[in-house]
Amino acid sequence: MALTAQFEVPATSETGIDFTNTEPSTVAYTFSASGTWTIPNFGECTAEGFPSLNTYTQAWIKENWPDFEKQMKYPGQTPYSLVAQNKTTGAVTQVGKKATIVLKPGETLSFKLNNATWDYPKSTGTIKVDASGTSVVPKVMQFDGNGDFVDIPPESLPTGNLITVSFWAKGANELPKNTSVIYAELSGYVLNIHLPWSDGVIYFDCGSGNGVYDRIAKGAEAIDYKNQWVHWAFTKNASTGEMIIYLNGQRWHSGTGCTKPVAKPAKVRIGSQTTNPYYYHGSLAEVAFWNKVLTQREIQVGMFKRLTGKEPNLVSYWPLNEFRVDGATPKVIDRVNQLQGVITGVVLAEDPSFPID
């Protein structure tokens, strides 16, 4: 859906002109600026600000007013350029001639010219801004419960005493049935998460030794695993023996005496076991593996944000919101070390209900 708008930013306005995303979905707006305005004593410039002043004026300002950039309303932006500040997040974006800014529903940008505070009342002219937006619908990966999975490299999984696995899941209406949503094996379970099993129980198996693994499990309500997006985080500290399951940022279940460390697996799979056809049925996104035990606070703060791939202790991160085709093979990419996962049967689908843009 294309959206258009037009407005003017007066040079005299220190508070700015507001632009709000009134759409019910996230929109990527491209703002294009035109026209000129006049700065007292320095003459005419465009929305690009200082670089658009004549070269003589630029040289004079630099020589006679060396700290002029620090005197601007936004010292970190180009002097006299058009900027936009998100009134929700506080983030300031330099617009200049053209910029694309993503706005969530209800978010407002305040457009203003980056002038010295005392010069706003004496400045003249306006900058015209044309806005063109396209609704942004999040994409996720859908598993149909019949042969769909993603194989990722063994080094995607942290080893040793500390691990956290986190992801968003939206199970299909056909659940509960026998499923494994994350699985790693080395002559037996290294990591296995049933979400759920056919009995409606969430099983978290982690760590192995002589074919024996640690397990905690709890029966779940249907709303916990199907027909809506739910955030899950599974942690283990083999040093203390504690395993914890978090549901939507809340501590949901835990167990003690679980001291088996995580061995390096031979295979790791998203969406099924490698040894049995326990295919997940539903949508998945934002799969992340950490070599630390995330705290409840860390889980709550991070669950509604896209990761950058540079977070401390993040071993691998699979957003599952895009795939690349290498020859005839569709693949997903890890955002930490650019590892590649191979897709079998899984499709990419738009889902406006996914809570992260």
Side-chain angles (χ1 to χ4, degrees), residues 154-322:
E155 55 266 37
S156 304
L157 195 75
T159 59
N161 289 328
L162 306 176
I163 185 173
T164 297
V165 184
S166 61
F167 56 87
W168 284 90
K170 182 183 180 181
N173 194 56
E174 287 79 1
L175 298 181
K177 61 182 184 179
N178 293 351
T179 67
S180 281
V181 67
I182 306 286
Y183 182 76
E185 61 98 2
L186 178 66
S187 301
Y189 292 0
V190 173
L191 174 70
N192 179 43
I193 299 173
H194 296 304
L195 198 79
W197 196 242
S198 56
D199 55 5
V201 174
I202 308 296
Y203 293 89
F204 175 28
D205 307 326
C206 187
S208 63
N210 299 321
V212 181
Y213 49 85
D214 293 322
R215 163 177 281 183
I216 62 173
K218 179 181 176 181
E221 301 292 332
I223 59 172
D224 295 335
Y225 56 75
K226 69 178 183 178
N227 296 328
Q228 66 177 0
W229 283 103
V230 175
H231 186 268
W232 293 94
F234 299 79
T235 73
K236 180 175 185 178
N237 185 335
S239 297
T240 63
E242 186 174 40
M243 292 171 63
I244 307 173
I245 303 175
Y246 293 91
L247 168 62
N248 287 332
Q250 301 300 316
R251 186 174 176 130
W252 184 70
H253 185 52
S254 63
T256 57
C258 305
T259 57
K260 295 179 177 60
V262 179
K264 182 177 180 179
K267 296 179 181 179
V268 182
R269 179 170 287 182
I270 300 171
S272 175
Q273 285 194 8
T274 59
T275 53
N276 295 292
Y278 300 144
Y279 300 113
Y280 182 70
H281 200 165
S283 299
L284 295 173
E286 296 293 296
V287 178
F289 299 94
W290 312 73
N291 62 5
K292 66 173 289 187
V293 172
L294 294 182
T295 65
Q296 182 173 2
R297 177 60 178 165
E298 287 173 325
I299 293 168
Q300 292 173 341
V301 169
M303 59 191 284
F304 291 108
K305 299 178 181 178
R306 295 276 187 194
L307 300 176
T308 66
K310 300 183 183 299
E311 288 78 5
N313 300 101
L314 184 62
V315 175
S316 69
Y317 166 48
W318 309 87
L320 303 186
N321 62 349
E322 62 180 355

Side-chain angles (χ1 to χ4, degrees), residues 36-216:
T36 60
W37 65 291
T38 301
I39 310 165
N41 303 317
F42 295 147
E44 192 175 75
C45 68
T46 70
E48 292 180 286
F50 186 79
S52 68
L53 291 169
N54 69 64
T55 54
Y56 172 81
T57 301
Q58 291 184 42
W60 188 93
I61 293 174
K62 289 180 179 179
E63 181 179 352
N64 295 280
W65 190 14
D67 63 344
F68 74 105
E69 295 187 10
K70 297 179 182 178
Q71 306 301 318
M72 298 296 107
K73 186 172 182 66
Y74 297 101
Q77 305 296 326
T78 300
Y80 308 121
S81 66
L82 179 66
V83 298
Q85 182 173 30
N86 189 309
K87 297 178 78 169
T88 300
T89 66
V92 178
T93 302
Q94 184 165 310
V95 177
K97 271 192 173 181
K98 191 174 186 178
T100 298
I101 304 174
V102 177
L103 291 179
K104 295 180 178 180
E107 284 190 330
T108 296
L109 293 175
S110 177
F111 284 80
K112 62 202 77 174
L113 294 161
N114 188 23
N115 202 349
T117 301
W118 58 83
D119 272 340
Y120 280 105
K122 298 177 286 185
S123 299
T124 59
T126 60
I127 292 295
K128 185 176 74 172
V129 180
D130 291 289
S132 176
T134 303
S135 292
V136 178
V137 180
K139 294 182 178 180
V140 298
M141 289 202 170
Q142 285 186 345
F143 298 71
D144 69 3
N146 185 25
D148 289 1
F149 55 86
V150 179
D151 283 321
I152 60 176
E155 55 266 37
S156 304
L157 195 75
T159 59
N161 289 328
L162 306 176
I163 185 173
T164 297
V165 184
S166 61
F167 56 87
W168 284 90
K170 182 183 180 181
N173 194 56
E174 287 79 1
L175 298 181
K177 61 182 184 179
N178 293 351
T179 67
S180 281
V181 67
I182 306 286
Y183 182 76
E185 61 98 2
L186 178 66
S187 301
Y189 292 0
V190 173
L191 174 70
N192 179 43
I193 299 173
H194 296 304
L195 198 79
W197 196 242
S198 56
D199 55 5
V201 174
I202 308 296
Y203 293 89
F204 175 28
D205 307 326
C206 187
S208 63
N210 299 321
V212 181
Y213 49 85
D214 293 322
R215 163 177 281 183
I216 62 173

Side-chain angles (χ1 to χ4, degrees), residues 2-44:
L3 307 165
T4 59
Q6 189 178 88
F7 55 93
E8 291 187 344
V9 181
T12 55
S13 178
E14 182 181 355
T15 56
I17 299 299
D18 287 351
F19 177 89
T20 301
N21 177 22
T22 59
E23 297 299 311
S25 61
T26 297
V27 177
Y29 285 100
T30 297
F31 299 97
S32 301
S34 60
T36 60
W37 65 291
T38 301
I39 310 165
N41 303 317
F42 295 147
E44 192 175 75

